[in-house]
Amino acid sequence: MSFPFLFSENFESGGAGQFNSETDTDSILDFPHYSELARFGLAPFRGAYVARLQLGTGTASAFVQENEGMDAAAAATINIAFWFFLGNNFAMAASDKFSFLELESSADTTTEVACGLDNSAGTIRAWISETIAGTAQTLNLGTAAQIRNQWHHFEIGALIDSGAPNDGTIDGWLDGVAIGSQITTLDQGAIVDGKFGIQGKDAGTTGTVLLDHIIVDNARIGMDLQRYTPSGCWIHAPQDHPIIGPGRFSAAVTGTGTNAVMYLYDTDGVPPAAGANTASGTYKPIAILRNVSANEFIPGHTDFEVSHGLYVVLTGTDVQAFINVKCGGLWS
């Protein structure tokens, strides 16, 4: 894992965030606040918002699409990691299959890297393949009842074909365990976009699926050792909710340019009418930290307190921030 990442999104803006577009013909994809999820006994992986798919018997795909952040040239390496959760009402009929992620070399036409879940005689499997219809490597996860109501970490890594040699490869990991063996000798084109959601679903696949914290990089990313860290939080997406509820914390920010800025708000949701990176709107920041020299590490020289929660907005070049919780506060 290396920073800066090529792309990082946690849906803490209460929407699709940095993704370029959204496709949702059947209106099954939304980005609810934790207060809405709590009505169903659900919560984000971390923070205040999550991507939710409420699957019915329709077969239309629902996904967000990213262009620049998921590009990969010939001979380039790309790794994508994300968390998913299957609700208590999730079900898959025998032989059903869908993809969480598809990387394309031609928009809406040619898939070169894909991963998802299928049902093989009652056993839910994680799979990786060049296409959803292609020959896949799989990992048995158990019955739907055994894997529901848990967060799972999916990572797929691909070396894109350099050209004539047909030397593309795909690897995958589910909760840190390899999904079969490496797929080799692939004939692939350079990647121009990625689609993240539920694609190619069958009518028998129904129920709630949550998706959160997707990271794209040119190296293996790996999974968090702990869902909740006891004191600190590393922030690398443009928005985050590292604290839910009252708490006291310290904060610091850095970036590779001279324009790293961190805005801190006392709220457990996106401030109404607030600008994406300004102090305007109905909520005002409790503090603003910024650097003036490249790679300068700027700490807040005091502890801050929030009554409702902490909402962080980051702007700048390769900016990252660190929150150390002194007392109170929940991660989700």
Side-chain angles (χ1 to χ4, degrees):
M1 180 175 66
S2 60
F3 187 84
F5 298 129
L6 301 177
F7 181 81
S8 174
E9 181 56 55
N10 53 18
F11 308 112
E12 294 300 321
S13 66
Q18 301 173 90
F19 282 95
N20 297 119
S21 62
E22 177 182 341
T23 297
D24 185 15
T25 304
D26 288 345
S27 299
I28 59 174
L29 171 61
D30 63 356
F31 306 92
H33 189 252
Y34 76 84
S35 57
E36 164 66 14
L37 292 173
R39 299 195 305 117
F40 307 97
L42 303 174
F45 176 72
R46 280 200 301 262
Y49 296 89
V50 74
R52 176 178 65 174
L53 295 115
Q54 300 183 88
L55 308 180
T57 57
T59 58
S61 298
F63 55 85
V64 287
Q65 186 167 338
E66 170 61 21
N67 301 331
E68 299 83 3
M70 295 188 184
D71 284 357
T77 298
I78 183 170
N79 277 63
I80 301 178
F82 58 90
W83 290 88
F84 73 90
F85 180 98
L86 308 177
N88 192 54
N89 60 350
F90 177 81
M92 291 186 82
S95 301
D96 276 10
K97 187 177 187 180
F98 66 83
S99 66
F100 284 123
L101 178 74
E102 296 191 13
L103 303 183
E104 299 178 319
S105 60
S106 178
D108 304 318
T109 303
T110 306
T111 300
E112 306 288 6
V113 181
C115 67
L117 301 180
D118 69 12
N119 183 339
S120 176
T123 297
I124 307 300
R125 306 185 302 180
W127 60 266
I128 58 173
S129 183
E130 185 174 8
T131 66
I132 189 172
T135 301
Q137 292 292 315
T138 62
L139 176 67
N140 290 347
L141 305 182
T143 65
Q146 290 172 325
I147 66 171
R148 288 188 298 229
N149 299 312
Q150 305 168 49
W151 281 99
H152 298 278
H153 185 265
F154 211 133
E155 181 169 357
I156 189 166
L159 172 64
I160 305 304
D161 177 21
S162 62
N166 293 349
D167 53 1
T169 66
I170 298 174
D171 293 275
W173 302 266
L174 195 290
D175 296 336
V177 179
I179 300 172
S181 57
Q182 184 180 74
I183 300 172
T184 61
T185 63
L186 297 176
D187 180 8
Q188 302 161 305
I191 305 302
V192 299
D193 68 31
K195 295 176 177 177
F196 182 51
I198 297 292
Q199 299 166 77
K201 75 174 289 293
D202 297 293
T205 298
T206 58
T208 300
V209 178
L210 305 181
L211 299 173
D212 212 352
H213 283 252
I214 181 170
I215 296 174
V216 184
D217 201 17
N218 52 14
R220 177 77 190 275
I221 297 164
M223 62 183 294
D224 299 331
L225 296 179
Q226 294 177 291
R227 180 179 177 187
Y228 306 112
T229 51
S231 61
C233 180
W234 176 33
I235 301 174
H236 44 76
Q239 297 91 20
D240 210 328
H241 288 86
I243 297 176
I244 304 297
R248 187 170 74 245
F249 63 95
S250 60
V253 66
T254 187
T256 59
T258 60
N259 58 349
V261 184
M262 175 167 60
Y263 300 87
L264 305 177
Y265 295 86
D266 185 354
T267 175
D268 65 351
V270 175
N277 58 1
T278 72
S280 64
T282 56
Y283 289 9
K284 302 299 185 288
I286 62 172
I288 300 174
L289 303 180
R290 67 180 74 229
N291 73 342
V292 294
S293 301
N295 300 308
E296 183 181 15
F297 188 83
I298 302 299
H301 295 290
T302 186
D303 285 349
F304 304 100
E305 291 192 13
V306 290
S307 299
H308 305 285
L310 175 61
Y311 175 53
V312 176
V313 176
L314 299 180
T315 65
T317 305
D318 299 336
V319 61
Q320 53 185 318
F322 302 87
I323 302 296
N324 188 278
V325 181
K326 302 301 180 66
C327 68
L330 302 171
W331 291 116
S332 178

